[in-house]
């Protein structure tokens, strides 16, 4: 029997290979603004930090050790003596952080000669949570996830801020729908102290332009597609084009993605 070539199905090898190729991941955005515009943003940031340090004697900065927070860490530790002395930098070591995140603590010490203070969760509270719900119960419901965040983040944060008269975060308006109206200064009603977001009006590209320009030490996970980094089991790499916080608690609705540290961002 003769075979007609047109009857033979044609396989698009390139399409097959493309379907097997993993999706492109987030990469550092390109800054297209002028150097003068960036310098103006940096000067405004320095003035904001100087203003905070001059108004408050016990200001504290809670760093996640990710990109935005490394901008603030650098600006504080390279700033004038009043800023460096007046704003203490601390982090919440939840016990579930990536090794790459913990490695940033050593990078900061080596680069700036500064030891970031660590606050850890209550061991008994963690033990009780795991015994009652399971080690990874946060996948089961938003309530169980927020309970875990409450133990590992919120309670240690409360201890860290127990004697503070103001605190700072690295939040930006661009990061999430829950942060679109983020002000520079607000009142933290839960703790009764002012809360500052010095990078509220910064773009993602400006953050990365600053980090590159000043050779700031960063988390190695950023090079693996992680624009936003939290606890290891609750953070995944982000695909190109996704929201920068899409990798945080990716199994939940995007309008509930807060851990309790910034609960007032969520409009009830």
């Amino acid at each position: 029997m003769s075979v007609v070539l047109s009857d033979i199905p044609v396989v698009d090898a390139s399409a097959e290979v493309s379907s097997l190729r993993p999706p492109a991941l987030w990469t550092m955005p390109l800054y297209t603004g002028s150097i003068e515009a960036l310098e103006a943003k940096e000067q405004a940031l320095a003035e904001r930090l100087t203003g905070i340090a001059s108004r408050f004697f016990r200001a504290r900065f809670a760093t996640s050790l990710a990109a935005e927070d490394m901008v603030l860490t650098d600006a504080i530790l390279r700033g004038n003596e009043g800023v460096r002395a007046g704003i203490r930098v601390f982090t919440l070591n939840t016990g579930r952080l990536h090794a790459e995140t913990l490695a940033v603590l050593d990078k900061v010490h080596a680069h700036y000669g500064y030891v970031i203070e660590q606050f850890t969760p209550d061991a008994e509270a963690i033990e009780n949570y795991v015994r009652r719900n399971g080690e990874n119960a946060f996948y089961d419901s938003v309530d169980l996830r927020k309970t875990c965040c409450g133990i590992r983040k919120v309670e240690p944060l409360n201890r860290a801020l127990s004697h503070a008269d103001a605190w700072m975060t690295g939040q930006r308006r661009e990061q999430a729908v829950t942060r679109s109206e983020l002000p520079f200064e607000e009142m933290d009603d839960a703790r009764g102290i002012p809360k500052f977001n010095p990078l509220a009006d910064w773009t993602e590209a400006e953050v990365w332009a600053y980090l590159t320009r000043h050779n700031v030490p960063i988390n190695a996970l950023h090079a693996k597609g992680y624009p936003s980094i939290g606890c290891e089991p609750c953070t995944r790499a982000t695909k190109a084009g996704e929201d920068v916080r899409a990798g945080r608690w990716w199994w939940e609705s995007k309008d509930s993605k807060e851990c309790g540290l910034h609960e007032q961002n969520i409009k009830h």
Side-chain angles (χ1 to χ4, degrees):
M1 180 180 67
S2 61
V3 177
V4 180
L5 291 178
S6 60
D7 292 336
I8 300 176
V10 177
V11 177
D12 186 344
S14 62
E16 185 175 350
V17 171
S18 178
S19 67
L20 297 175
R21 187 180 299 126
L25 298 178
W26 170 91
T27 56
M28 181 181 71
L30 178 66
Y31 177 70
T32 57
S34 68
I35 188 64
E36 291 79 13
L38 184 61
E39 288 176 343
K41 218 57 180 286
E42 293 181 9
Q43 179 60 35
L45 175 60
E47 292 172 0
R48 289 174 177 178
L49 296 179
T50 299
I52 293 169
S54 64
R55 287 174 59 190
F56 302 96
F57 293 104
R58 299 183 304 278
R60 301 291 182 261
F61 168 47
T63 174
S64 69
L65 306 172
E68 286 82 3
D69 292 352
M70 290 310 299
V71 168
L72 288 177
T73 298
D74 181 80
I76 291 168
L77 298 184
R78 286 198 308 109
N80 60 52
E81 291 184 6
V83 169
R84 180 164 178 146
I87 303 176
R88 194 175 78 190
V89 183
F90 71 90
T91 193
L92 306 176
N93 186 343
T94 66
R96 301 295 302 264
L97 299 180
H98 299 79
E100 292 90 340
T101 299
L102 295 174
V104 178
L105 295 169
D106 292 332
K107 292 180 181 180
V108 168
H109 186 217
H111 194 79
Y112 304 100
Y114 186 91
V115 177
I116 293 178
E117 188 174 6
Q118 300 180 56
F119 286 83
T120 58
D122 180 77
E124 184 177 355
I126 291 176
E127 183 181 347
N128 290 337
Y129 176 88
V130 172
R131 185 175 63 251
R132 293 170 184 166
N133 307 295
E135 186 176 18
N136 296 323
F138 40 79
Y139 293 129
D140 296 337
S141 72
V142 173
D143 286 342
L144 283 173
R145 194 271 293 169
K146 289 188 175 182
T147 299
C148 184
C149 288
I151 295 170
R152 294 184 182 274
K153 291 185 174 183
V154 179
E155 190 280 328
L157 178 69
N158 290 340
R159 274 189 280 117
L161 298 178
S162 60
H163 298 294
D165 53 6
W167 71 294
M168 291 170 34
T169 84
Q171 295 184 100
R172 295 185 299 105
R173 294 174 191 143
E174 270 192 350
Q175 288 174 322
V177 294
T178 56
R179 300 180 180 183
S180 61
E181 299 177 8
L182 190 71
F184 161 62
E185 180 178 353
E186 56 187 322
M187 176 57 67
D188 183 341
D189 294 327
R191 300 173 183 88
I193 58 175
K195 176 181 176 183
F196 293 88
N197 307 296
L199 300 181
D201 58 350
W202 279 52
T203 67
E204 185 186 19
E206 288 169 341
V207 166
W208 283 97
Y210 180 104
L211 294 172
T212 301
R213 172 176 158 86
H214 296 290
N215 194 30
V216 179
I218 59 173
N219 194 317
L221 288 173
H222 292 308
K224 300 178 181 180
Y226 289 72
S228 178
I229 305 167
C231 289
E232 183 170 12
C234 297
T235 311
R236 64 164 173 79
T238 300
K239 297 175 185 176
E242 283 188 307
D243 183 274
V244 293
R245 283 173 61 84
R248 304 291 298 277
W249 309 297
W250 66 91
W251 63 92
E252 293 183 10
S253 169
K254 66 180 181 180
D255 58 3
S256 67
K257 292 186 176 186
E258 294 290 353
C259 61
L261 302 184
H262 314 295
E263 189 68 24
Q264 63 204 63
N265 292 342
I266 300 177
K267 308 300 181 184
H268 297 286

